[in-house]
Amino acid sequence: MSESARDEAGSWREVLTGSLAPRFALILLGVWLNAADTLVAVTVMPSVGRDLGGFAYFSWATAGYVMGALLAGATAGQLATRLGLRLAMCGAGGVYAVGCALSAASPDMFAFLAGRLVQGLGAGWLMGFCYAAIGSLFPARLLARVFGALTTVWGVATLLGPMVGGLFAEAGFWRGAFWSFGGQALVFILIAALLLKNDAPRPERRPLAWGQLALIAGGVVCIGVADMTGGVAATFAMIALGLGLLIVAIRLGRTAVGGLFPRSASDIRHPVGAGYLAFVAQCACSIAFYIYAPATLQAVHGLGPLAAGYLTALGSLSWSIVGLGVAGLRDRWHGPAIRAGGLMILAAVALFVWVVPHGPVAAIAAAAMLMGSGFGISYAFINRRIIAAAPADDRALASAGVPSARLLGNAAGAGLAGAVANMMGMRHGLSAESALAASPWIFAAVVPLAVVGAWASWRVGSPRLEG
């Protein structure tokens, strides 16, 4: 590469040295706090449950966090404009640190879940503000390198998150995991306060999508508390109500000003609607594994927290590796890759019904990698087709709505898995017997979601949409 071409593209030396290096470290730290949090939390959750009780609310540690991140992420762009970047970043770090402290110091499960919700809010704002800051903190020629580094952070979090959670859990000090992340948040606040300019807030007149956010929150809560209604019929009625509220929230995007999703998101005949449905359904069916597999691996298969955390993380690791491997596929292979990904996720979830409770552990690991590979082979190409199929004036919103769709699926799936787990007896505590009884039904309940995800992927992967 010539010297002039290298200057135009920017270099890693420019990112890692001089005045840009602290900015780069700030962004990486903010993304790390979000990326590693969930993997740390699911690794320590069996220890949290044994210490605090409240197994009936086990899945809410994830559902509450994800719901907080969804609500915060939807408002991050406008808050960054209204508050100014410095105040917004410091405030997000403060909210996240408070959430970590609440979780770490919790005397019971309800206080812990409140902490997780606050952590989710802080993490959602941290992520949104960090991405908003990149454009103003770095010259355009370096943006590709900065975004590439953020992808690496997610991969590193997959490797280190289970280790952090596992080490604290095996030491009998799960609270230390949350104290450590709270401490990192304080470092983030200090760097942001010293580094960022006190930029003046700017007026922001776009309305926030409060109606959609309220419907989404209500839908997730209905699904999560469905098992507490006292009867099977009432339980399924609450689940149906929750799903109905989520559908209404998405359909609201057709008429709402400042909505979370593009106008075509609710039309499953359209590539955008089918793509969003694939993301919601596939994330909803996969989150059950990340919540309940670590607990079952420890209670039934005798693994320690560290080993259980790493086995669970194989799904995320496979996603990253396969995603990088297929990134250069030609356009004509995008459709087959999307369809193959949906079928792989469906096959993995179906396998979980048997292998998670009964083993062997190697089969659980293989199914986790199959699921992660399904996401890796299809995720980027579905995203690309969503953006390509959206009307020109909706493309930015179509792209920005993908993370919200994924979080929506995670929150709804966590609520559903928790409801089924509690119906099958896990509300009374985690033991080999309760895990063996509940695990098959937890994964059987999300198989229909995997079927819907595979069907939607098949539509998005239609040859008519290639190129």
Side-chain angles (χ1 to χ4, degrees):
M1 181 183 290
S2 68
E3 193 68 31
S4 61
R6 187 180 296 108
D7 289 342
E8 183 178 348
S11 66
W12 279 115
R13 181 177 181 181
E14 193 174 359
V15 176
L16 299 174
T17 60
S19 61
L20 293 181
R23 302 179 188 179
F24 187 57
L26 177 70
I27 298 298
L28 294 184
L29 178 56
V31 174
W32 155 262
L33 291 174
N34 184 297
D37 188 288
T38 299
L39 286 171
V40 171
V42 298
T43 303
V44 303
M45 272 309 297
S47 300
V48 176
R50 284 191 292 269
D51 192 9
L52 300 182
F55 277 96
Y57 311 100
F58 196 83
S59 66
W60 277 94
T62 298
Y65 176 88
V66 171
M67 189 161 61
L70 174 60
L71 297 176
T75 61
Q78 295 188 40
L79 285 177
T81 300
R82 292 175 176 177
L83 299 176
L85 196 55
R86 182 185 186 189
L87 180 57
M89 296 274 265
C90 291
V95 172
Y96 184 83
V98 169
C100 289
L102 289 173
S103 297
S106 299
D108 54 44
M109 183 60 81
F110 290 108
F112 178 80
L113 295 179
R116 290 295 290 161
L117 176 62
V118 175
Q119 273 184 265
L121 287 168
W125 280 322
L126 278 172
M127 179 65 68
F129 295 154
C130 282
Y131 274 85
I134 290 173
S136 60
L137 296 181
F138 297 91
R141 66 180 181 278
L142 297 176
L143 294 184
R145 295 189 182 275
V146 174
F147 280 112
L150 298 190
T151 302
T152 304
V153 171
W154 286 91
V156 171
T158 301
L159 294 174
L160 297 186
M163 182 182 72
V164 173
L167 291 175
F168 277 109
E170 292 193 349
F173 185 47
W174 61 263
R175 298 175 188 272
F178 296 100
W179 286 124
S180 70
F181 273 75
Q184 293 173 67
L186 295 180
V187 173
F188 178 90
I189 295 170
L190 178 62
I191 297 174
L194 294 175
L195 183 65
L196 301 179
K197 296 179 180 178
N198 192 19
D199 50 335
R202 301 189 301 275
E204 174 57 78
R205 296 180 180 177
R206 290 178 300 161
L208 293 171
W210 292 117
Q212 282 184 297
L213 293 172
L215 287 169
I216 288 170
V220 173
V221 170
C222 285
I223 294 171
V225 303
D227 63 294
M228 303 176 191
T229 55
V232 175
T235 294
F236 283 103
M238 286 293 289
I239 291 174
L241 175 60
L243 292 175
L245 290 174
L246 297 178
I247 292 171
V248 172
I250 294 175
R251 291 185 65 85
L252 192 62
R254 288 184 171 185
T255 57
V257 178
L260 299 178
F261 305 110
R263 292 185 294 272
S264 50
S266 62
D267 184 0
I268 60 175
R269 298 168 298 179
H270 192 280
V272 173
Y276 271 73
L277 178 60
F279 281 143
V280 171
Q282 289 170 350
C283 288
C285 72
S286 64
I287 195 66
F289 177 77
Y290 292 101
I291 296 172
Y292 286 101
T296 305
L297 287 165
Q298 294 181 52
V300 176
H301 301 288
L303 272 63
L306 184 61
Y310 269 114
L311 192 150
T312 307
L314 285 175
S316 300
L317 183 62
S318 299
W319 181 341
S320 299
I321 293 173
V322 174
L324 290 173
V326 302
L329 283 180
R330 295 180 180 271
D331 287 355
R332 69 174 180 270
W333 293 108
H334 292 182
I338 291 170
R339 291 181 164 187
L343 295 175
M344 291 164 69
I345 294 168
L346 171 58
V349 173
L351 286 172
F352 289 152
V353 176
W354 177 260
V355 299
V356 171
H358 301 293
V361 170
I364 302 174
M369 290 189 289
L370 178 64
M371 181 180 71
S373 299
F375 279 103
I377 201 174
S378 61
Y379 175 78
F381 302 137
I382 295 177
N383 207 343
R384 176 174 174 177
R385 289 200 169 181
I386 287 174
I387 297 171
D393 61 343
D394 246 2
R395 286 184 178 175
L397 184 58
S399 178
V402 167
S404 295
R406 289 180 54 200
L407 289 171
L408 171 58
N410 285 336
L416 176 61
V420 174
N422 291 338
M423 286 177 61
M424 301 311 301
M426 197 173 280
R427 65 162 61 242
H428 302 299
L430 177 63
S431 64
E433 292 75 17
S434 65
L436 277 171
S439 290
W441 294 102
I442 292 171
F443 295 106
V446 298
V447 167
L449 293 171
V451 172
V452 172
W455 175 83
S457 294
W458 200 262
R459 288 189 63 86
V460 179
S462 168
R464 291 176 297 173
L465 299 178
E466 291 185 9

